[in-house]
Each structure stands twice: as structure tokens, then as C-alpha cells.
Amino acid sequence: MDIKKDQLFITPIEKLGDWTFDEKVAEVFPDMVQRSVPGYSNIISMIGMLAERFVQANSMIYDLGCSLGAATLSIRRNVNQENCHIIAVDNSQPMVERCKRHIESYKSSTPVDVICDDICHINMQNASMVVLNFTLQFLTPENRQRVLNNIYNALKPNGILVLSEKFSFSDTCIDELLFNMHHDFKRANGYSELEISQKRNMLENVMLTDTIETHKQRLSKAGFKHIDTWFQCFNFGSIIAIK
Ligand SMILES: C[S@@+](CC[C@H](N)C(=O)[O-])C[C@H]1O[C@@H](n2cnc3c(N)ncnc32)[C@H](O)[C@@H]1O
Ligand SMILES: O=C(O)C(=O)C[C@]1(C(=O)O)C=C[C@@H](O)C=C1
């Protein structure tokens, strides 16, 4: 895949609308996500390691908010069980089109269906692994609990949910520190103050972050018994929840 540099916010934009995963974002997404999310590539490769351990024979795997399919490909490379099927879902048509092409360019015996739909509307069942890699933060709070309940109900015993998110922190000192360190990370990756602030403004109404405690409470309410953070870098991280 060609890696096109993210320069979407390099010049002043007169009317900053709300953030969407449109054609322009999809085009630069691999560069954008790598330079914006601390630990992204580690999380992607370790989702593969979790797949190796948790994916069960004759089961389904769901990658919800799959974007270009990075987590799906990592899972597919590491699945060593028979008769597994991956469903990758995203409601952005430009992401889905690119995801399909990307996945088709790698050979594997594990089938993948890429579906353009809202993850709040899909019917899941017989799952041994579900991934929400930086997707839940784009749902309304009511839909967050609903989707987690659906995931719990779709999982087989010992099935796993991987939930990666940008976090907020109830301790304001820690919240500010980790927020600022994330900005340092972006600057170190070549983003200017203008690029950082324009993107932040666009994300403001669309991406609402929760604390780790809120995520754990929701997962517990959904029914999960074993819940903990397995990765964190600044205000980004990933939680596992096992049925
Ligand atoms: C930050 S990206 C996810 C990155 C991706 N999981 C990865 O590992 O590379 C968030 C994705 O979630 C999708 N998304 C947001 N809300 C959604 C919804 N309600 N249903 C389906 N997809 C959604 C967006 O279109 C976007 O592609
Ligand atoms: O908070 C930011 O600055 C981000 O860029 C975060 C984030 C995310 O976590 O999904 C937002 C949108 C892009 O898809 C990539 C990263």
C-alpha cells in the first residue's frame, strides 16, 4: 500500500466542520494513525498475538470500525485454528473500499467479509474474538453500552474483546500531563501547532473520551468477568475483557 503523507490540516481551514472519516482521511490514514496514536503499531501486532491465543476453531472474529483492515490482517496472519471467519465492519464507504482492496492483496485461507455498516446495527454471533480498536470513542454514550452488551452476548465462553481507546483521566494533573505528552508525540512526528489544533477542533464534538474506570464499569455491566488494561502509552491504551 502506498503511504501518502497526512497534510490535511497543514494550511488554515476557514470553516472547520466536524470530523468525518471521508475520502481524504482514508487516503492518508496509515500515516495519520501512525503519527497520531502512540503505540498504534505495537497494539496492532499484539492483537495478532492475542488472536493466536484466543481465537477458537469454528468461530467468528469481528473487527468493528476496521478502517483499512490493519487489525484484521494482523489477526489473520496469526490465526492457527480451522474454520474461522473474520467480519470487518466500518460505516465509512471510502475506508471499506480501500480495506477490501488491501485485504485482497494478501493471500490466506481464513475468509474475510468487509461490510459497510454501522456497528450498532450488525448482528454478531459465535464469536471468539472482537476488536474495537479506537472505534467506541466515536459512538454516543448510549450506543457504547449497547454495542458492548451485543458483543458480550455474541462471544463464546473464554471469548475476548480488545477495546483500544484514547482515555481521559479524572485526576486533572495526570489528564493534563498525558494530554500534553500526546501533543509532544505529535510534534515529534512532524505535526505543526496549526495541524494539531485544527484536528483537535474537528474531533471535539465527535470523539468523546472516557476514563479507564468508565470503560471498566461498562464492560462489567455488559457481563464481562475479567477486565484489565494490557497496554498504555500516554492517554492512549487498550483494555482486554474476557467472557
Ligand atoms: C480510528 S479509526 C479505527 C482504526 C482501525 N480500527 C485500525 O485499527 O486501524 C475509527 C474507525 O471507526 C469507524 N466508525 C466510527 N463510527 C462507526 C460506526 N458507528 N460504525 C462503524 N464504523 C464506525 C470510522 O469510519 C473509522 O474508520
Ligand atoms: O486525538 C488525536 O489527536 C487523534 O488523532 C486520535 C485519533 C483516534 O484516536 O482515533 C483520531 C482520529 C484519527 O483517526 C486518528 C487518531
Side-chain angles (χ1 to χ4, degrees):
M1 191 170 38
D2 293 340
I3 302 280
K4 191 175 173 202
K5 195 167 182 206
D6 167 23
Q7 297 187 317
L8 299 183
F9 309 109
I10 209 158
T11 52
I13 300 170
E14 210 177 306
K15 267 197 175 168
L16 285 174
D18 275 345
W19 179 266
T20 55
F21 288 93
D22 59 12
E23 183 73 41
K24 284 181 182 162
V25 169
E27 203 182 8
V28 298
F29 191 73
D31 178 66
M32 171 186 280
V33 76
Q34 185 66 36
R35 290 202 285 142
S36 303
V37 177
Y40 174 77
S41 48
N42 284 328
I43 292 174
I44 290 293
S45 55
M46 286 165 199
I47 283 174
M49 294 173 74
L50 288 165
E52 192 179 355
R53 228 171 232 278
F54 280 91
V55 169
Q56 302 172 30
N58 309 309
S59 74
M60 307 293 291
I61 300 143
Y62 294 90
D63 180 6
L64 306 178
C66 60
S67 295
L68 303 181
T72 287
L73 285 172
S74 177
I75 292 167
R76 201 171 63 162
R77 273 196 298 275
N78 288 279
V79 164
N80 52 21
Q81 298 291 333
E82 290 202 338
N83 196 26
C84 297
H85 196 130
I86 306 177
I87 309 282
V89 185
D90 205 289
N91 65 354
S92 155
Q93 190 69 48
M95 287 290 192
V96 165
E97 277 166 21
R98 283 182 163 73
C99 184
K100 282 184 180 163
R101 290 205 296 272
H102 192 191
I103 284 168
E104 274 165 14
S105 63
Y106 296 90
K107 275 205 177 123
S108 163
S109 56
T110 305
V112 179
D113 286 337
V114 186
I115 296 170
C116 189
D117 204 345
D118 190 319
I119 61 165
C120 303
H121 300 151
I122 60 155
N123 198 348
M124 294 177 281
Q125 55 193 338
N126 193 37
S128 58
M129 182 171 195
V130 179
V131 173
L132 278 167
N133 205 36
F134 303 104
T135 304
L136 198 73
Q137 60 201 12
F138 294 103
L139 268 50
T140 62
E142 312 78 69
N143 281 340
R144 291 179 194 190
Q145 187 67 55
R146 211 168 291 152
V147 165
L148 295 179
N149 295 347
N150 292 345
I151 291 170
Y152 182 82
N153 292 331
L155 278 169
K156 292 156 76 79
N158 205 39
I160 190 169
L161 165 65
V162 182
L163 171 63
S164 312
E165 291 272 290
K166 184 179 188 180
F167 299 130
S168 51
F169 296 84
S170 46
D171 181 316
T172 48
C173 169
I174 299 291
D175 194 59
E176 257 175 50
L177 172 68
L178 299 184
F179 179 88
N180 289 333
M181 292 197 76
H182 173 229
H183 281 194
D184 291 347
F185 171 87
K186 284 191 156 188
R187 280 184 211 107
N189 284 331
Y191 283 121
S192 67
E193 298 305 322
L194 181 67
E195 287 178 288
I196 294 172
S197 74
Q198 294 198 116
K199 188 179 180 195
R200 192 182 56 223
N201 285 342
M202 293 180 77
L203 282 167
E204 206 159 44
N205 301 321
V206 184
M207 192 178 97
L208 304 174
T209 56
D210 289 316
T211 61
I212 294 175
E213 293 73 34
T214 300
H215 284 298
K216 286 184 173 177
Q217 278 162 14
R218 273 205 207 97
L219 290 163
S220 180
K221 197 171 169 193
F224 287 98
K225 298 286 177 297
H226 313 281
I227 305 160
D228 220 331
T229 311
W230 65 277
F231 183 93
Q232 193 181 331
C233 184
F234 310 136
N235 48 350
F236 286 76
S238 191
I239 295 171
I240 44 174
I242 303 165
K243 185 161 178 174

